[in-house]
Amino acid sequence: AQSVTQLGSHVSVSEGALVLLRCNYSSSVPPYLFWYVQYPNQGLQLLLKYTTGATLVKGINGFEAEFKKSETSFHLTKPSAHMSDAAEYFCAVSGYRNDMRFGAGTRLTVKP
Amino acid sequence: NAGVTQTPKFQVLKTGQSMTLQCAQDMNHEYMSWYRQDPGMGLRLIHYSVGAGITDQGEVPNGYNVSRSTTEDFPLRLLSAAPSQTSVYFCASATLPSNEQFFGPGTRLTVL
């Protein structure tokens, strides 16, 4: 079975600062890993995904994440935060059975 | 393409009532799933389906039934609603094997 732990339920950064959202996973099979973003009162939108191949994955809106198998991590970063990045972010993992497991989410606040 | 659609957007039920949440997708995706989202708990998988006629349980299946008679539709049934089922429900679909899931806009359900 798969599981995800997101470290920090709330993260606050200043506009222009580095964004780092942490995600650790557990999986008994090679994982597929995802980051989704949810804006208030909306559904989830895919930011980026790792399936196989290159471990540094680039997504939309300037976000990227690196798959580190030895650390079982898939942290999300963005070099410079923008006010429009304020949202809730979810890390997720799935395996061969295709049932996806989500972390509890991290709410990102961006201060002007 | 409409993507993934869900109806209704909002619903209030009394304890013991039954209802069906509708979900449809027009992307010919094999995989469909239902999640519930509760504060601080992320999204939890209720049921999923890898094709017409095939369904399976997720993390929190109790109190919910599903069926998949067509590729397009995946309704979620609450047979006897309980206050613990107050939540926001999301339907999603995916093409296999990438499992990149596309989410509907959600249904906010309140059980009194």
Side-chain angles (χ1 to χ4, degrees):
Chain A
Q2 291 81 241
S3 67
V4 169
T5 301
Q6 290 184 241
L7 303 175
S9 58
H10 291 89
V11 170
S12 180
V13 301
S14 298
E15 193 172 19
L18 172 71
V19 175
L20 171 60
L21 305 182
R22 300 178 187 273
C23 171
N24 288 92
Y25 71 91
S26 171
S27 178
S28 56
V29 298
Y32 292 165
L33 294 160
F34 306 82
W35 277 99
Y36 283 86
V37 61
Q38 185 181 34
Y39 297 101
N41 299 313
Q42 294 188 25
L44 276 73
Q45 179 184 3
L46 181 70
L47 273 179
L48 49 79
K49 66 178 180 180
Y50 169 80
T51 53
T52 59
T55 56
L56 182 62
V57 180
K58 294 188 185 300
I60 62 172
N61 301 337
F63 285 93
E64 62 183 36
E66 186 171 10
F67 170 60
K68 292 188 176 181
K69 184 178 178 180
S70 61
E71 298 177 9
T72 61
S73 69
F74 192 58
H75 301 331
L76 181 71
T77 61
K78 182 174 180 178
S80 177
H82 191 272
M83 297 296 289
S84 61
D85 294 327
E88 188 148 23
Y89 293 80
F90 294 94
C91 182
V93 62
S94 70
Y96 293 149
R97 289 180 61 228
N98 298 300
D99 53 329
M100 189 174 280
R101 297 290 190 265
F102 284 81
T106 298
R107 183 168 300 279
L108 176 67
T109 301
V110 182
K111 298 174 293 185
Chain B
N1 282 355
V4 179
T5 57
Q6 292 183 237
T7 56
K9 289 191 183 332
F10 301 94
Q11 183 70 49
V12 179
L13 292 178
K14 295 181 180 178
T15 297
Q17 287 184 315
S18 63
M19 80 159 296
T20 299
L21 307 185
Q22 301 291 344
C23 174
Q25 53 95 5
D26 61 0
M27 297 173 282
N28 202 32
H29 285 167
E30 308 97 319
Y31 180 88
M32 295 186 74
S33 55
W34 276 102
Y35 295 87
R36 58 177 290 172
Q37 183 178 23
D38 302 291
M41 303 187 75
L43 279 77
R44 291 181 291 168
L45 182 65
I46 304 172
H47 287 283
Y48 66 99
S49 167
V50 296
I54 306 169
T55 63
D56 206 348
Q57 297 181 349
E59 302 170 84
V60 289
N62 292 342
Y64 307 95
N65 282 350
V66 292
S67 60
R68 183 100 179 266
S69 57
T70 67
T71 299
E72 295 78 19
D73 300 298
F74 191 45
L76 178 72
R77 298 182 187 84
L78 286 70
L79 298 180
S80 179
S84 61
Q85 294 178 305
T86 293
S87 187
V88 180
Y89 291 85
F90 288 100
C91 179
S93 72
T95 184
L96 302 173
S98 73
N99 203 22
E100 175 183 341
Q101 300 207 33
F102 295 82
F103 285 83
T107 295
R108 186 174 295 274
L109 175 68
T110 301
V111 182
L112 302 175

